[in-house]
Amino acid sequence: MLRSILLALDDTEGAIAARDYALALARHTGAALTAAILMDRPGLTGAHEAVPPGAAAFKERRDAALLRQAEAAAAEAVAALDQAADGVPYALETLDSSPAEALLGAAGAHDMLVVGRDSTLGREEAEDGLSPTIEALLHDRTRPLLVVPPGARFDPAAAALVAYDGSPGALRAVQLFALLGLGRGGATVLSVADDEAEAAALAGTAAGFLQRHDVHAKALPVIGTHPVEALLAEAAAMPAGMLVMGAFEHTGLRALFTGSATKHLLRRAPCAIFAAH
């Protein structure tokens, strides 16, 4: 069962949705919540930046101003979290290294990391609404990652959509989804293959596993070669409360989990994505 959640705190639309999602999930499951404040001091101050002769005083003033801005933004995010928490207990943890390094290090102490899809996590640019740190987090095998888009809300009664192709990443994602107790609203398992029997066998395998873990699951075999579009269409039609997927695999649905296709799905998914490697 879900016992501990790590939330990457930020002030973007997706990060605010992630904050509210994590709070609702903690309230519903009783899991402990820790909010991480990203304070990349070396990155903010250009610790390894070469300083031209005579520019040391300017750099010192600039660095101090950047740190004050970061601290003020963090204080505002914490104040907003405190207001949104509405009685949900949480702990605060300040992480002082680069976003990916800091979150990967901290995630090992928790069951799941929750991050906003467009989170800037300090001073990063979220190209096309997708934080560049997310790819680094997906490559790591420390803990599953929940990526929350702007506007997404946690609904305990909403069924999840599970992308399944029998790959190790998909197997692990389905297993963790079940063992963390995230399937209380049920699940639809979607498998894509050229052959109907293969798609049905794959979807049936994962649905059967989930049923043995008390998740009301149904199989949805799809014949075709466009898994991203099939998943996006089904997620919107359900509508899905969460999309469960493995990450960065290689062939059917496995082609989905290569970098470019994963990013495409992350950018367009209407619901939170639970990803594991």
Side-chain angles (χ1 to χ4, degrees):
M1 300 301 291
L2 186 63
R3 292 288 181 256
S4 182
I5 302 168
L6 178 64
L7 166 68
L9 202 60
D10 206 344
D11 60 0
T12 64
E13 287 186 52
I16 292 170
R19 178 201 69 196
D20 293 344
Y21 200 108
L23 285 168
L25 191 56
R27 182 182 292 111
H28 181 70
T29 63
L33 176 63
T34 297
I37 302 168
L38 280 299
M39 191 67 63
D40 181 11
R41 297 179 192 276
L44 285 169
T45 60
H48 305 293
E49 179 184 350
V51 182
F58 169 79
K59 182 178 184 303
E60 184 177 349
R61 290 194 298 272
R62 184 205 65 184
D63 292 350
L66 288 172
L67 283 173
R68 286 195 299 270
Q69 291 172 8
E71 289 166 352
E76 289 179 6
V78 171
L81 169 64
D82 194 57
Q83 184 174 11
D86 192 26
V88 176
Y90 64 87
L92 288 174
E93 182 175 357
T94 300
L95 306 178
D96 288 322
S97 55
S98 67
E101 178 185 357
L103 290 171
L104 289 174
H110 304 275
D111 294 324
M112 183 171 65
L113 169 60
V114 181
V115 61
R117 182 168 71 187
D118 62 353
S119 291
T120 55
L121 300 174
R123 297 174 61 201
E124 290 189 326
E125 292 295 326
E127 181 184 354
D128 295 331
L130 179 63
S131 170
T133 296
I134 288 174
E135 185 173 357
L137 296 173
L138 284 172
H139 273 291
D140 183 78
R141 298 179 183 231
T142 303
R143 288 293 182 270
L145 175 68
L146 189 71
V147 180
V148 184
R153 295 180 179 275
F154 172 69
D155 179 357
L161 176 61
V162 178
Y164 187 76
D165 68 341
S167 66
L171 284 164
R172 186 166 185 263
V174 171
Q175 181 185 48
L176 289 171
F177 169 73
L179 295 180
L180 290 176
L182 298 175
R184 297 177 184 180
T188 294
V189 180
L190 187 151
S191 296
V192 178
D194 294 332
D195 179 74
E196 182 177 3
E198 181 185 356
L202 285 168
T205 295
F209 174 86
L210 291 172
Q211 289 164 4
R212 286 189 290 275
H213 286 269
D214 300 321
V215 177
H216 179 71
K218 64 178 183 179
L220 179 59
V222 174
I223 303 171
T225 57
H226 298 88
V228 172
E229 298 306 323
L231 285 166
L232 290 172
E234 185 62 25
M238 289 174 63
M242 180 185 296
L243 173 58
V244 180
M245 55 178 276
F248 296 95
E249 294 294 339
H250 306 289
T251 67
L253 264 181
R254 295 180 194 177
L256 167 65
F257 304 131
T258 58
S260 60
T262 299
K263 290 177 183 177
H264 185 61
L265 186 62
L266 284 165
R267 289 189 180 104
R268 293 178 57 195
C271 57
I273 292 182
F274 175 87
H277 195 304

